[in-house]
Amino acid sequence: MRVPPRVRRVAVIAVPPVSMFNLAIPEMLFGKVEIDGEPGYETVICAPDPGPVATTGGLDLVVPHGLDAVADADTVILTGSGTSTDPDPRILDALRGAAAAGRRIASLCTGAFALAGAGLLDGRAATTYWTYRPLLAARHPAVDLQGDVLFVQDGPVLTSSGYAAGIDLCLHVIRTDHGAAVANTVARLALVAPVRPGGQTQFTQTPLPPERGVSFAVTRAWAMEHLDVPLGLTDLARHAGVSVRTLSRRFHAETGVSPLQWLLHQRVERAKELLETTALPMDGVARASGLGTADSLRRHLLRRTGLTPSAYRSAFTRLTGPPATAGEAPTRARTDAPSETPTRARTDVSPVRPARSRSALPPEVPPRPRTATGPFPRAS
């Protein structure tokens, strides 16, 4: 009988004047996680001074908890603020204490300035909202600042760029803790795209005018329904009704990665879901996800997660009923999840760099290589 995991505690520090959008993201997403019918997380909002906290919208929010809530948290998340200068010393002390205790620490948007002020980003890869990157680089030159990525994880420290990238970071945390199936369920409940690679570029360029734009959302949805069959650039271009050259150019502008990189990413995500929710043998998982063979599945999963398929299944299996057999066709993932909003992005995504040796993640979180600093490798 499966023993339900204990509830993980997330402390969200509201940095005044706090961004209400940033503050809502963790509560919204972590609050939707259920494991065997029980809550997966407890989210606690705290501030240096409990009581009314100013927001960037001119309203006051009542925050009932002080920074002592950080001491009992498994994960500490720092919100973005209307000011990026002179972080409250009490927040810096709380962050240093959490880091010394081995907690996972994350920032949303301009929260990276407080992490840097606490010395937690020195020598680490990090990011922040694109308009504040020059200021962060000038104030904290020891930070390995990453340009045009949605979020970065370097050891137990995560940073995200602006606004909606905080959603991607929180989904990544959920995926790390509970696997792809749980994270994708949360994304569907929240009506957001379940998978946006952390290395996808920040959308900082001006979108193309509607009359010039070509959206491939329909083609992406079609490809998601056919991941188990060979698909190439010609197949995608034919479905979209454009040339291969146009497909490659516009697809990258919409998603930040090439069509083949996107396909590989979705196939690995499908394989992870199948490993979590079925007892299909490895060859069956590889075929159903379009990765071909068990050797190919092992190679790509190791590259993406640092775990073999067997180790990943042991860590994240969600089986509660009779296992599937090798002859059973797995149920395809739902296709009614919202797709990414088409928009133009930068095209200079940098390659993934080797993982660094960092302090260990919290005990319940399997060690991962450094995450989401570039595009995904091409299928081989």
Side-chain angles (χ1 to χ4, degrees), residues 96-131:
R96 294 185 186 109
R103 308 306 186 202
R104 179 170 52 194
I105 302 175
S107 68
L108 308 183
C109 195
T110 56
F113 281 84
L115 293 190
L120 304 185
L121 297 184
D122 289 353
R124 292 188 185 275
T127 192
T128 190
Y129 187 43
W130 65 275
T131 59

Side-chain angles (χ1 to χ4, degrees), residues 310-376:
S310 296
Y312 186 89
R313 173 170 274 168
S314 297
F316 295 114
T317 183
R318 304 300 308 150
L319 289 177
T320 56
T325 64
E328 293 177 358
T331 303
R332 295 186 187 273
R334 287 177 52 179
T335 58
D336 57 349
S339 60
E340 305 95 332
T341 302
T343 185
R344 188 175 185 178
R346 287 175 58 95
T347 58
D348 56 346
V349 184
S350 58
V352 174
R353 294 185 290 175
R356 298 182 178 182
S357 175
R358 298 294 182 194
S359 57
L361 295 177
E364 291 186 85
V365 182
R368 303 288 192 196
R370 187 167 123 189
T371 303
T373 55
F376 295 93

Side-chain angles (χ1 to χ4, degrees), residues 66-212:
L67 293 178
D68 55 338
V70 171
D72 298 325
D74 301 290
T75 300
V76 180
I77 297 180
L78 200 67
T79 65
S81 168
T83 177
S84 58
T85 58
D86 301 322
D88 190 312
R90 293 172 292 177
I91 292 178
L92 301 185
D93 288 341
L95 292 173
R96 294 185 186 109
R103 308 306 186 202
R104 179 170 52 194
I105 302 175
S107 68
L108 308 183
C109 195
T110 56
F113 281 84
L115 293 190
L120 304 185
L121 297 184
D122 289 353
R124 292 188 185 275
T127 192
T128 190
Y129 187 43
W130 65 275
T131 59
Y132 288 96
R133 282 205 312 267
L135 180 60
L136 183 61
R139 287 179 173 270
H140 302 282
V143 178
D144 182 9
L145 197 59
Q146 304 293 297
D148 283 345
V149 294
L150 295 178
F151 63 86
V152 178
Q153 176 171 0
D154 195 337
V157 179
L158 300 91
T159 52
S160 77
S161 56
Y163 299 105
I167 296 175
D168 300 290
L169 183 148
C170 290
L171 287 174
H172 171 73
V173 169
I174 295 169
R175 189 176 295 111
T176 299
D177 289 347
H178 299 294
V182 173
N184 289 345
T185 296
V186 170
R188 286 192 289 265
L189 291 172
L191 298 178
V192 297
V195 177
R196 286 209 301 173
Q200 179 173 322
T201 54
Q202 296 184 41
F203 298 138
T204 60
Q205 304 271 356
T206 303
L208 294 176
E211 62 271 15
R212 294 176 58 198

Side-chain angles (χ1 to χ4, degrees), residues 269-321:
E269 289 298 307
R270 177 67 54 80
K272 288 161 65 177
E273 285 207 56
L274 293 173
L275 289 170
E276 295 168 28
T277 59
T278 78
L280 284 170
M282 299 309 169
D283 280 332
V285 171
R287 287 193 300 271
S289 60
L291 292 175
T293 66
D295 286 342
S296 177
L297 169 66
R298 178 185 176 86
R299 183 170 65 254
H300 289 300
L301 201 66
L302 267 172
R303 189 180 299 169
R304 285 284 307 281
T305 70
L307 297 174
T308 65
S310 296
Y312 186 89
R313 173 170 274 168
S314 297
F316 295 114
T317 183
R318 304 300 308 150
L319 289 177
T320 56

